[in-house]
């Protein structure tokens, strides 16, 4: 059995970015098979509205959390999931997300930091965005169409992840989560109110954690 099959490590390209587009189906299925799906926390839950703690222990407990996150993401039919979306106060997110060219990206980032783009590299994409923690609601939100995130993998090794289009939006969205921001926090008051109204009127297709 290869190293990739046993511990989920993936390679890097010539620029030092992880190659997260290979064996996506097999890797995601392996994570999910070991995991247990958990209910999703929703806006108003305190764990979503504060910066999460750094990951400092890269062992079995973290590995199990990651497996559970992939299982939870699949159940909720999401493309990205942050740990606090299943109630865990740790800076880790998982993703299984296509980019605008149809390439599938699958991976894990611990302690993510979003790189600041140079002004000439900032091209805004004003597209619809949704969130598993704001179920059934969508709103238009402008974000850069390219993103680079630095962090660590599940073993604590430093990694760089880059994405364009929809995948870039995913990387920014999930990193935001771990610093206490939901996408609706970046909307105007009017649009935020409308998103919350959509959530109130809708019915989630997955289990959520009731807010007290």
């Amino acid at each position: 059995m290869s190293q990739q099959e046993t511990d989920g490590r993936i390679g890097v390209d010539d620029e030092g970015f992880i190659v997260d587009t290979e064996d996506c189906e097999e890797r995601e299925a392996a994570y999910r098979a070991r995991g247990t799906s958990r209910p999703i926390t929703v806006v108003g839950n305190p764990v979503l509205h504060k910066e999460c703690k750094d990951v400092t222990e890269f062992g079995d407990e973290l590995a199990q959390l990651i497996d559970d996150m992939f299982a939870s993401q699949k159940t909720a039919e999401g493309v990205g999931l942050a740990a606090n979306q299943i109630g865990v106060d740790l800076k880790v997110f998982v993703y299984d997300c296509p980019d605008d060219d149809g390439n599938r990206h699958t991976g894990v980032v611990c302690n993510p930091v979003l790189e600041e783009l140079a002004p000439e590299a900032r091209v805004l994409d004003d597209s619809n965005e949704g969130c598993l923690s704001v179920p059934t609601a969508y709103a238009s939100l402008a974000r850069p169409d390219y993103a680079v995130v630095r962090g660590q993998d599940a073993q604590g090794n430093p990694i760089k992840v880059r994405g364009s289009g929809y995948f870039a939006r995913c990387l920014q969205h999930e990193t935001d989560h771990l610093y206490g921001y939901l996408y609706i926090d970046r909307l105007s008051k009017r649009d935020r109110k409308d998103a919350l109204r959509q959530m109130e009127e809708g019915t989630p297709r997955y289990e959520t954690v009731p807010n007290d």
Side-chain angles (χ1 to χ4, degrees), residues 46-190:
V47 75
L48 293 173
H49 303 283
K50 63 174 185 175
E51 181 175 345
C52 292
K53 297 174 183 175
D54 289 344
V55 176
T56 57
E57 298 290 332
F58 296 86
D60 291 345
E61 192 172 334
L62 175 64
Q64 187 59 62
L65 170 63
I66 290 168
D67 292 342
D68 289 355
M69 289 172 68
F70 272 103
S72 304
Q73 175 178 256
K74 183 69 172 182
T75 298
E77 300 177 14
V79 296
L81 187 75
N84 54 355
Q85 291 185 273
I86 57 169
V88 179
D89 183 9
L90 278 180
K91 282 182 183 165
V92 54
F93 71 79
V94 304
Y95 59 88
D96 186 24
C97 182
D99 60 27
D100 285 359
D101 296 322
N103 299 306
R104 181 176 177 179
H105 299 259
T106 303
V108 179
V109 184
C110 301
N111 303 324
V113 176
L114 193 65
E115 280 195 0
E116 190 71 31
L117 295 177
E120 62 271 19
R122 284 178 59 88
V123 178
L124 293 181
D125 171 30
D126 195 0
S127 296
N128 250 16
E129 190 160 328
C131 179
L132 298 178
S133 292
V134 193
T136 73
Y138 296 90
S140 183
L141 177 63
R143 289 191 189 267
D145 70 352
Y146 178 76
V148 173
V149 171
R150 293 178 181 269
Q152 293 167 281
D153 65 14
Q155 291 77 36
N157 304 303
I159 57 171
K160 291 193 299 180
V161 187
R162 61 179 167 186
S164 60
Y166 187 54
F167 182 44
R169 182 174 294 274
C170 174
L171 292 174
Q172 294 169 81
H173 180 112
E174 301 308 330
T175 300
D176 268 358
H177 267 304
L178 300 177
Y179 289 87
Y181 295 101
L182 298 167
Y183 85 97
I184 59 172
D185 296 327
R186 297 189 177 277
L187 301 175
S188 67
K189 288 183 178 179
R190 177 181 173 181

